[in-house]
Amino acid sequence: MQCYTQLTPPTAVTHSLSLPFLSSSANNLIVTKTSLLQIFSVKSIITNANSTLDKPVPRESTRTRPGDGNGAQTPPLSSDQNTQRAEKLHTTKLVLVAQYDLSGTITAIARVKILRSKSGGEALLVALRDAKLSLIEWDPERYSIATVSIHLYEQENILRSPWEPDLGQSVSYLSVDPRSRCAALKFSARHMAILPFHQAGDDLVIDDYDPELDGEEGDPGLLPLKSETETKPTDKTPYAASFVLSLLALDPSLSHPLHLAFLYEYREPTFGIISSQFEVSAALQAERRDTISYTVFTLDLDQRASTTLLSVNGLPDDLFAVIPLPLPVGGALLVGTNELIHVDQAGKTNGVGVNNFAKHSTAFAMLDQADLGLRLEYCVIEQLGPDSRELLIILNNGELAVLNFKTDGRSVSGLSLRRIDPQYGGNAVVAAASCASVIGRGRMFVGSEKTDSIILGWSRKSDKLKRQRSRVSSNQYPSDEPLDIDEYDFDDDDDDDLYSVVKSDEQVIGEGSLPSSTAAGEDYIFRIHDSMQNCGPMRDVALRKSFVENPHGIQEARAQAHKFELLVSSGCGRAGGLTAFSREINVELVEQLNILDAIGVWTVYAREISEGGSAKAVNGDSATAHELDKYVIVSRIIATGEESSTAFKFTSTGLEEIKDTDFDPDAGATVEIGSLNSETRIVQVLPGELRTYDEGEFILVVPLHLLHFDIRLGLWPTSWWLDMVLVHSEPMGQYWGTSCVYHRHQITRLRYWLFDDVATVSFLSLHMSIASMKFNTNLSAPESKVYICAFCDCCNDTLADIPKGFGLAQIFPMTDDATGAEPKVISANFSDPYVLLVRDDFSVMVLRADESGDLDEVEQGEAVREEKWISGSLYEDSNDVLRLETGYDSEDEAGNVLMFLLSGGGGLQIFRLPNLKKGVYIADGLSFLPPFLSTEFTVRRSTARENLKEILIAELGDATHKSPYLILRSTNDDLTIYQPYQSPLEGSLDTVLRFLKTSSSLPRPAAEPIYEDEQHNRTQPLRALQDLDSYSVVFIPGNKPSLIIKSASSPPHFIGMRTGPVRCLSRLNTSKCEKGFVYIGDNGSTYAAKLPSPGQYSTGWVTRRIFLGDEVQALDFHQGKDSYVIGTNHTTDFKLSEDDYHNDSVTEDTTFLPQIDQGSIKLLDSKTWSIIDTHNLDPGEVVMCIKTVTLETSEHTHTREELVAVGTAVIRGEDLPSIGRIYVFSIIDVVPEPGRPETGRKLKLFTKEEVKGAVTSVSEIGSQGFLLVAQGSKCLVRGLKEDGTILPVAFMDMQLYITVAKELRGTGLIMTGDAFKGIWLAGYYEEPYQIRPFSKSPQNIEVTAADFLPDGKQLYMVVADADCNIHVLQFDPDNPKSLSGQRLLHLASFHTGHQLTTVTLLPDFSRSSSSAPDPSSSPQDAPLSHQDPSSSPPTILLTTQTGSLALLHPLAPSLHRTFAALQSHLQTALPHPLGLNPRAYRAGSSGSSGPRSSSGHLGGSGGAGFGGGGAGGGGWGAGGEILLMMGGGSVLDGGLLRRWGEGGSWKRWDGAQGEGGMGAVLKGVGAWEGF
């Protein structure tokens, strides 16, 4: 049948939590994204003050002006900000530790302190859908999470009321006691599960303990543990037996609970709950109001009883959350949509109204701050620090406000709010937040489902001057934000300064009126430290054929088929925009180098050697810093068929070949090029020898008539030999670099030569001063041609370089003196001062450069000499990340360079150079590819080894964080990635090195040979590249080249490069191509290129965000004009108009008006990503759908034109029927604006018509160029007339509300989906015009999106419902269960876990790429059925609200059976995080009305497959490729199948036959050629 594969992970953050998870002293952040659990560590780095993330985002910057190009936000800088460009700031970043895909939907998370945790840190309690709890902790031994316990509360004996809603439809809440004595899970309608936890004081008289008098309790991890004989049997687990309580048993008034939370400052577990005896309804305000009650209960865990402590009645009806507050405030904060109410332990209340509706909706007494005009719906509130009396409020639109508590002693006497002005970062958050967690002093993580999640930092403006005077030097820290530092940077006495200002501010607030203006909020300054990409929510998607374009006019010799680029709408509100997805990196070509017939290329930067023999420092920096590359060494095939090497040098005129040097082109093929001795020696590795070169004399050529020489020391000028000269340069920027202008340069050596091929210097004036004598000497040399060559110690800029020699320093042959053998070098690896050589006789040689740069062989021991080695790699562990033993008696003798060797038996040995006598780490089981690799790992009686051929240890990451990874390459070109970590030894404080196999170990497409000549067809090695656009990556050569790339907040990903076959690639850093690379194409041409900018790779795809400032509702691509047509909505104030329908309404006098959407239609250029035209709609009119269609525009000439059809809905109020409008636009050519050629296109309104009901879907239909329109509950076929009207010719009545209407192109088959009733299949007839219904779904389905899935002669429909399920239906009138075709056969259901927004049938890539593109056709115009065996199978693209992409594609019957067997094996063989059951999780319901299988943990009940058939039985056509099995169907989980490589090689189940086995078969899972 089909296979569901998730292409990108979810990106919308739903929950976050800060806790010490990895250890007791760690600072970790837990982030959940629906079904993805991520663990981060917090890192502080130094950044520039003018960084984009470091600036508050002004309100004006949220909109992109037309013509801005990339659409990125460019906030303007204020005058004082411009003065701080060079200053540094402490910035907090997130570093990913681990992430886990879960077979469940996370609904809440909480931190729990447990006894005897493995890591010493706290545990994490995770609540999942359908009343499940999982308690997990960190296992440092396995560097992964460990499931402590699982708890299920879905038994039927609990849900006794038949009218109660299903568990999945009930809102659940999770809360944990602040002292971790118990957790409460409210589930179902009125049930609460209590899970007690054992704590260190269980056996003590805890009634005598008072945290206020006795101080804080000690860390349970530091308390002495009981012996096994003293420990009770019930204490062997961190939890006690849980129990379930009915809320009605606690109090009969808790019939409608709204929210609950455990409170602080109570001896026993105590929680507060808000509830109502009636169903809360805003429509019944006139009948009943203030029905909410707040009740506090204390729990007796031993007796399983509760006691009511206090109850506050008569609270406003719009309360929705309880927020417990620790000291110094205490009590609880009740949050409503119009007010905030504080309740202390005695039941005393203080409230504040935040808008005009507060005084009209409740009689509860509170302070009035209605002038603020705040909307608290879906707001997020978090405390500003652990001891702060202020709370940060993040509103639904992203604006920030601060809530302050005025205290009288320990009692709260009042509340006040103030907004944060945008110029102080008040709108740094641009959309609604879903969660917030404080991760340090002045740092908060703000998660969002509607925009990028960020780390928000803040400082107190009032503390700036005080800290500048007392602690912070203005030369070290920025003067604008001195407090914005990490929480460990200063001592605790800084808190006194901070909160002393707070108290003063509170006194001012208490004495005067409560401030509501923005001026009072200027005490805080907010800025963004880091961001986490969010591609959701995705509302619509458009496909565009992407061609490899060349902006520099470079003649490319590669044949690259066009691919498809995805553009999805993402973001909400001010964060609205578009996200472009590309599966491969479309590199930016800089230039084509004048190098042909190349097979290998290397770049090198060589430093000059100072007179002391060491490398010269540049601009005071260390000599190890990378500068601009100077040389390119190329290996080429000459006419005789032999290989030769050529050296080139970068000059101001381009790339020039170096001649008349010691570099010998005929020495042979170059294996590798590197540099040693602080980059002063260039090492050329040849098959039979090594050659080292020094840079020679590279001299500054200076025109003497432009310089004034002030000689301090020297001989008589007649000798022309000057030793020490000070040169004053004139303002001649055309000769010297900018850093040399107006500077004094100390020249250490000054010489002159006479040349015949340079310009004549006719007059030379030297102003010399020796001792106290001053004189002027003129030199007239009309016939002489003189150049002065200077060596400058303080400047690196040059006018011109004259190489005086590519000097050969040493030749090191490979001849074995003992045996006389001459083994050939096959690979080399450099790490200063060592070079590792692997030779064809399976031996290795390590050479070391001394202080002078000469190479000497490092003495080997028997462990190295007697073993056969396949591959090796060097790694400089300068920070001692691996923590391996030194191998020496004294640590001073040990180096920090490690050598990783792969033995012929598949083992790993690590040596610490220069000691080659004994390895510091030996793991013989590497070739078994175990999940955890250690020195103790062994596999007995097994021959299932992986044939490895290459090993590489390299750093992956970005400028924020880099870490080493061990990369293995097999003979099948499959890659496996291991992450090193430190595992603690049992009973000791020491650690041992282990390796964890990451989930990125995925099979790659085989790297086919790119040379036809077998003589030169050698395998190119993996190449580690540093600082490639600030990324440290690994390049994988071949016909399908790719990069292993990683950012600090994401795991490693394999991303292909859209360059065609690549023979060789090397890093390149020049003035034209900064932080780029140079590569050789399949034709031998050499190109300089860079990674695209801006571009992000955290999802595994290349993504680019285009911010528009408006929410994008719909979009489509216009192929003829190469433009996108998008429909956007923005909010405006809504007020009832005085028309015929509302003439009796009372005039509204409020200024606090409700918000509605207003739409607009925009034209977006696909190259510059700028808006080139806009058509605004009426107020209250929103865009519902956009489709590019080819319609007949004339009844007489039957002319057809590619037009844009737009459907809208008009919001008029709930008392009036809805109406909609149909727009048809054409895109015409106009005269472009000056300097903006992309504005040569414009939208022209072709026709417009108002209809009854909202227009929810439009589509092209039939062969006569008509338009299919879904309006309200009707589906109509319309045609354009000569007068511009749209005449309906056929219609069909639906039942309630149409959400989707599509035609299978060229067939007349129509699919219509109803929001409540299901899916219909109908046929459109043209003679006469009519729509005739054929079939209907057997169950009611809440259809959100759907599309056809044709497969040969079979017709299937893929339907997405509101419960995150995919339903596969078939139209088969020959099946008796279909009642002659009147019922669609329900084949399978599959639960995705994510709300699906679009279901799109992708075009046939094999057909569309075989011919040139037609400008008048869209990507959907390609033939969709694949009856031709050579065509690609149909594939469905799915987009979600959570920002993930997925594919659904059919499988052949034989392949489906193989994968189904593999899936069953993996379900039991692989560990599943949190103890969840993937089989039950994927079991979708047969319809939205039926309950989904809720057993989600291992051991729970579940069907035999992932889907249950709703139709059972039935036959299939012979041409169909989709399989029906035993009365039902099953959709396979591609994500689970791709975990096949996680287990060791000896545990792999390989049911596939043929070459490559299962690994080769799995390479096509989740792939589509069009991407």
Side-chain angles (χ1 to χ4, degrees), residues 1139-1446:
D1139 50 19
D1140 296 338
Y1141 300 101
H1142 304 95
N1143 51 4
D1144 297 333
S1145 61
V1146 180
T1147 304
E1148 295 180 293
D1149 56 354
T1150 179
T1151 59
F1152 189 68
L1153 298 174
Q1155 300 286 310
I1156 62 170
D1157 289 333
Q1158 179 179 356
S1160 60
I1161 303 167
K1162 300 180 180 181
L1163 192 62
L1164 179 74
D1165 182 63
S1166 62
K1167 297 182 177 61
T1168 62
W1169 302 110
S1170 60
I1171 301 297
I1172 56 181
D1173 192 24
T1174 301
H1175 179 87
N1176 294 319
L1177 303 179
D1178 295 338
E1181 186 176 9
V1182 295
V1183 178
M1184 301 295 292
C1185 57
I1186 291 179
K1187 188 70 174 178
T1188 302
V1189 293
T1190 302
L1191 302 181
E1192 185 178 281
T1193 58
S1194 174
E1195 298 177 278
H1196 305 294
T1197 62
H1198 302 288
T1199 303
R1200 297 196 180 189
E1201 185 179 350
E1202 188 179 11
L1203 303 174
V1204 179
V1206 180
T1208 67
V1210 181
I1211 304 173
R1212 300 194 298 169
E1214 59 185 11
D1215 56 338
L1216 296 177
S1218 62
I1219 61 174
R1221 295 190 178 106
I1222 303 173
Y1223 294 85
V1224 178
F1225 292 91
S1226 62
I1227 303 179
I1228 61 176
D1229 295 328
V1230 295
V1231 178
E1233 299 177 6
R1236 297 189 61 194
E1238 69 274 6
T1239 58
R1241 289 153 292 176
K1242 190 177 180 65
L1243 289 172
K1244 178 183 178 181
L1245 182 61
F1246 193 89
T1247 184
K1248 168 186 173 182
E1249 182 167 339
E1250 184 173 306
V1251 297
K1252 294 182 179 179
V1255 180
T1256 56
S1257 182
V1258 292
S1259 175
E1260 186 179 350
I1261 188 172
S1263 59
Q1264 299 179 352
F1266 286 172
L1267 184 66
L1268 177 65
V1269 180
Q1271 54 186 69
S1273 60
K1274 297 181 181 293
C1275 187
L1276 293 87
V1277 176
R1278 294 176 174 268
L1280 294 177
K1281 295 182 65 178
E1282 298 288 345
D1283 56 358
T1285 59
I1286 310 178
L1287 179 67
V1289 298
F1291 74 95
M1292 182 177 67
D1293 280 326
M1294 304 293 288
Q1295 294 193 12
L1296 295 176
Y1297 181 82
I1298 302 177
T1299 57
V1300 60
K1302 294 183 179 181
E1303 185 222 15
L1304 182 61
R1305 185 173 179 82
T1307 63
L1309 294 175
I1310 303 174
M1311 169 196 296
T1312 56
D1314 191 274
F1316 301 95
K1317 294 298 183 179
I1319 202 80
W1320 274 267
L1321 178 66
Y1324 167 66
Y1325 295 87
E1326 295 180 345
E1327 294 183 1
Y1329 296 120
Q1330 62 175 328
I1331 301 177
R1332 181 181 303 174
F1334 289 160
S1335 187
K1336 183 184 180 297
S1337 58
Q1339 299 93 9
N1340 291 338
I1341 302 176
E1342 299 181 33
V1343 179
T1344 59
D1347 207 338
F1348 289 99
L1349 182 61
D1351 187 24
K1353 296 183 179 180
Q1354 305 296 323
L1355 180 61
Y1356 306 96
M1357 285 165 280
V1358 179
V1359 182
D1361 67 8
D1363 198 30
C1364 307
N1365 295 320
I1366 295 175
H1367 304 275
V1368 181
L1369 307 175
Q1370 183 194 14
F1371 176 65
D1372 186 7
D1374 296 333
N1375 193 308
K1377 292 185 177 295
S1378 67
L1379 302 180
S1380 300
Q1382 298 182 26
R1383 290 289 182 266
L1384 296 173
L1385 300 179
H1386 193 284
L1387 302 180
S1389 296
F1390 184 87
H1391 186 70
T1392 64
H1394 308 280
Q1395 183 68 51
L1396 299 175
T1397 55
T1398 63
V1399 178
T1400 307
L1401 178 62
L1402 296 175
D1404 188 347
F1405 175 77
S1406 60
R1407 289 177 177 265
S1408 59
S1409 61
S1410 60
S1411 58
D1414 184 6
S1416 63
S1417 63
S1418 62
Q1420 291 80 3
D1421 292 339
L1424 298 180
S1425 62
H1426 70 290
Q1427 300 178 7
D1428 186 1
S1430 62
S1431 61
S1432 59
T1435 305
I1436 292 288
L1437 176 67
L1438 308 169
T1439 62
T1440 65
Q1441 285 275 3
T1442 58
S1444 64
L1445 299 173

Side-chain angles (χ1 to χ4, degrees), residues 443-637:
R443 305 290 189 272
M444 179 185 297
F445 175 80
V446 180
S448 177
E449 298 182 77
K450 298 182 179 181
T451 184
D452 293 347
S453 302
I454 62 173
I455 292 182
L456 189 66
W458 66 89
S459 62
R460 297 298 296 262
K461 183 181 178 183
S462 56
D463 291 336
K464 178 175 62 176
L465 298 178
K466 181 184 297 185
R467 289 190 179 273
Q468 284 179 343
R469 291 192 301 264
S470 61
R471 291 181 174 86
V472 183
S473 172
S474 60
N475 296 330
Q476 279 185 310
Y477 297 99
S479 60
D480 59 340
E481 290 190 49
L483 183 64
D484 209 353
I485 57 175
D486 193 79
E487 60 176 329
Y488 303 109
D489 288 346
F490 291 108
D491 298 331
D492 294 337
D493 58 350
D494 292 344
D495 294 342
D496 299 336
D497 298 338
L498 175 65
Y499 294 114
S500 63
V501 179
V502 177
K503 293 178 182 178
S504 301
D505 186 48
E506 291 171 354
Q507 294 172 0
V508 174
I509 295 176
E511 294 173 358
S513 61
L514 294 177
S516 300
S517 64
T518 59
E522 297 177 2
D523 191 41
Y524 280 102
I525 300 176
F526 291 88
R527 71 181 181 98
I528 299 176
H529 287 239
D530 197 5
S531 64
M532 184 182 299
Q533 183 185 14
N534 179 20
C535 302
M538 299 177 174
R539 295 181 181 84
D540 203 358
V541 61
L543 278 78
R544 169 180 175 264
K545 292 180 181 179
S546 176
F547 298 90
V548 179
E549 298 180 359
N550 194 337
H552 301 280
I554 302 172
Q555 181 65 31
E556 298 185 56
R558 64 176 186 264
Q560 177 71 26
H562 57 268
K563 301 288 185 177
F564 281 94
E565 181 183 68
L566 294 178
L567 189 69
V568 300
S569 60
S570 57
C572 294
R574 293 184 293 130
L578 303 168
T579 303
F581 284 83
S582 178
R583 189 63 187 91
E584 297 176 336
I585 301 175
N586 194 5
V587 301
E588 296 181 2
L589 295 175
V590 178
E591 61 176 335
Q592 181 177 352
L593 303 180
N594 189 22
I595 302 175
L596 302 176
D597 301 328
I599 60 175
V601 60
W602 298 268
T603 60
V604 65
Y605 169 78
R607 296 178 180 271
E608 299 177 13
I609 302 178
S610 63
E611 292 185 352
S614 60
K616 290 186 178 181
V618 179
N619 296 332
D621 295 336
S622 170
T624 59
H626 281 285
E627 301 297 333
L628 299 180
D629 292 324
K630 293 184 178 180
Y631 308 108
V632 175
I633 299 177
V634 177
S635 181
R636 296 190 287 190
I637 302 177

Side-chain angles (χ1 to χ4, degrees), residues 919-942:
V920 295
Y921 191 88
I922 300 176
D924 295 329
L926 177 64
S927 59
F928 290 102
L929 302 182
F932 299 91
L933 178 64
S934 64
T935 56
E936 299 86 7
F937 174 79
T938 57
V939 175
R940 298 180 180 178
R941 298 185 300 274
S942 177

